[in-house]
Amino acid sequence: MPRADARHLLDVDALSDQDLEWLTARACELARGAAPASIAQTVVNLFFEPSTRTRVSFELAARRLGMTVVNVELDRSSSSKGESLEDTAAPLAAMGAGAIILRHPETGRCHRLAQAVPTGLRLLNAGDGAGHHPSQALLDLATLIDAGIDLRDRVVAIVGDVRHSRVARSDLAVFQRLGAAELRVAGPDSMLPDRLPSGIVRADSLDGAVRDAGVVVMLRVQHERMDRQAWPDPASYHLQWGLRTEHLAMADPGCRVLHPGPINRGMEISSAVADGPQSLILDQVRMGVFTRMAIFEWLFSDGART
Ligand code: NCD
């Protein structure tokens, strides 16, 4: 197993090619029934933003490895009394927590906490503002690999609120590293980043984004990161940017559709596509558990595992 000294998972950029390969291959192996490791560690879920899939799948993954999971109820914790995140992490470590899984609205908060956590405490970034979402990118990749998709001969389109999406940022980084044939983004002007990373193409319309695409990743409009005046009207948004079956007819015949969830049906995606044969949306959720199991195995591979 690579990177025996792994301490945190803050973003995908810090992962070596070997790490990336090991993590996704291991997730696929676990999905096919490989025996998981047994890890005598405690993990704490610290979620300052709502979450269903990410929080539950980290918890299920930890339990399948025999770990103890604690979910901190933030409205009942000392952070509601003004305690800093650093002062929340230290007592958790003193009580024997081996890892904290952090979701936070502030971009960069997880990286900042990583500078200050007690030695031995590992940090998993479960999404920081519009920053990074490494476990989502890994599970997206594992889902594609598990579905037999080789990114090297696929055009990938990421459509919607790219500007505020930590998923888009992390996905683009891994898809680019894996050598996707072409990477496109598209969405309303106000929802695209001011500058795109080099090598990423901007498409002017949904049609232009999905034409010949082999993978389409649809994104939710992140209302919580915008002023209310900037919220689009759902029906007009759907007309211009909502993925419907007619769009899939323009894509590669084997095109598969991803969406990290939560889904707003009738806005960024139609039910016919979300529930249709080309959708991998529930596969992503399923692979999310195996990917997070692989992440824990990787994170505790240095003797902290028993
Ligand atoms: C995403 C997130 O929280 O960044 N969801 C997820 O983790 N599955 C995307 C979103 O909230 O739209």
Side-chain angles (χ1 to χ4, degrees):
M1 184 185 299
R3 270 285 296 283
D5 64 337
R7 253 199 88 196
H8 305 303
L9 179 60
L10 304 179
D11 55 50
V12 287
D13 309 317
L15 295 172
S16 67
D17 290 347
Q18 243 191 327
D19 289 327
L20 212 53
E21 200 188 314
W22 187 87
L23 284 160
T24 46
R26 181 66 181 150
C28 293
E29 232 171 69
L30 288 163
R32 293 194 187 106
S38 175
I39 304 178
Q41 289 281 344
T42 298
V43 294
V44 179
N45 265 330
L46 213 53
F47 278 57
F48 290 84
E49 274 188 349
S51 169
T52 307
R53 294 160 186 75
T54 308
R55 198 189 58 73
V56 174
S57 80
F58 265 121
E59 176 161 356
L60 288 174
R63 289 189 191 282
R64 287 189 195 173
L65 299 166
M67 302 168 84
T68 302
V69 185
V70 178
N71 289 297
V72 177
E73 291 177 53
L74 286 163
D75 51 348
R76 294 215 236 141
S77 78
S78 294
S79 69
S80 69
K81 299 180 187 170
E83 189 169 58
S84 75
L85 202 44
E86 284 70 13
D87 286 330
T88 303
L92 292 172
M95 283 186 265
I100 286 179
I101 302 161
L102 179 71
R103 169 166 288 190
H104 201 279
E106 188 187 317
T107 304
R109 191 63 184 95
C110 207
H111 288 75
R112 198 142 62 77
L113 179 63
Q115 318 273 307
V117 287
T119 321
L121 183 67
R122 289 148 171 82
L123 215 51
L124 283 161
N125 184 358
D128 61 308
H132 300 269
H133 198 343
S135 65
Q136 181 71 42
L138 288 168
L139 80 86
D140 287 348
L141 195 55
T143 304
L144 292 171
I145 295 170
D146 191 58
I149 291 163
D150 185 349
L151 276 171
R152 282 168 305 180
D153 41 53
R154 299 263 173 160
V155 170
V156 181
I158 302 190
V159 181
D161 185 3
V162 179
R163 176 190 273 270
H164 302 106
S165 175
R166 50 203 177 201
V167 176
R169 184 153 153 182
S170 294
D171 272 0
L172 286 170
V174 282
F175 294 170
Q176 194 161 41
R177 265 171 73 179
L178 269 277
E182 190 182 316
L183 276 170
R184 296 177 190 153
V185 296
D189 286 344
S190 62
M191 295 184 204
L192 290 181
D194 297 331
R195 289 184 55 235
L196 285 172
S198 74
I200 315 285
V201 178
R202 178 185 169 166
D204 288 335
S205 62
L206 181 54
D207 288 7
V210 301
R211 193 162 295 120
D212 303 321
V215 174
V216 177
V217 182
M218 295 308 294
L219 300 171
R220 180 178 68 88
V221 174
Q222 310 230 341
H223 294 102
E224 69 275 26
R225 303 191 208 290
M226 297 173 195
D227 293 336
R228 195 168 247 285
Q229 310 88 274
W231 292 9
D233 166 61
S236 346
Y237 186 89
H238 186 65
L239 272 182
Q240 203 175 352
W241 297 107
L243 190 68
R244 305 182 294 276
T245 19
E246 71 230 45
H247 299 112
L248 291 182
M250 290 181 241
D252 181 282
C255 178
R256 307 309 300 268
V257 178
L258 274 69
H259 190 313
I263 294 175
N264 287 308
R265 291 170 184 268
M267 190 157 174
E268 74 275 9
I269 195 164
S270 69
S271 284
V273 173
D275 305 330
Q278 286 168 267
S279 168
L280 284 176
I281 297 174
L282 287 179
D283 302 75
Q284 288 172 274
V285 181
R286 188 179 68 89
M287 288 304 289
V289 179
F290 298 116
T291 304
R292 290 172 173 125
M293 289 168 76
I295 290 172
F296 284 131
E297 289 187 346
W298 172 83
L299 204 66
F300 289 112
S301 61
D302 61 347
R305 198 205 288 188
T306 52

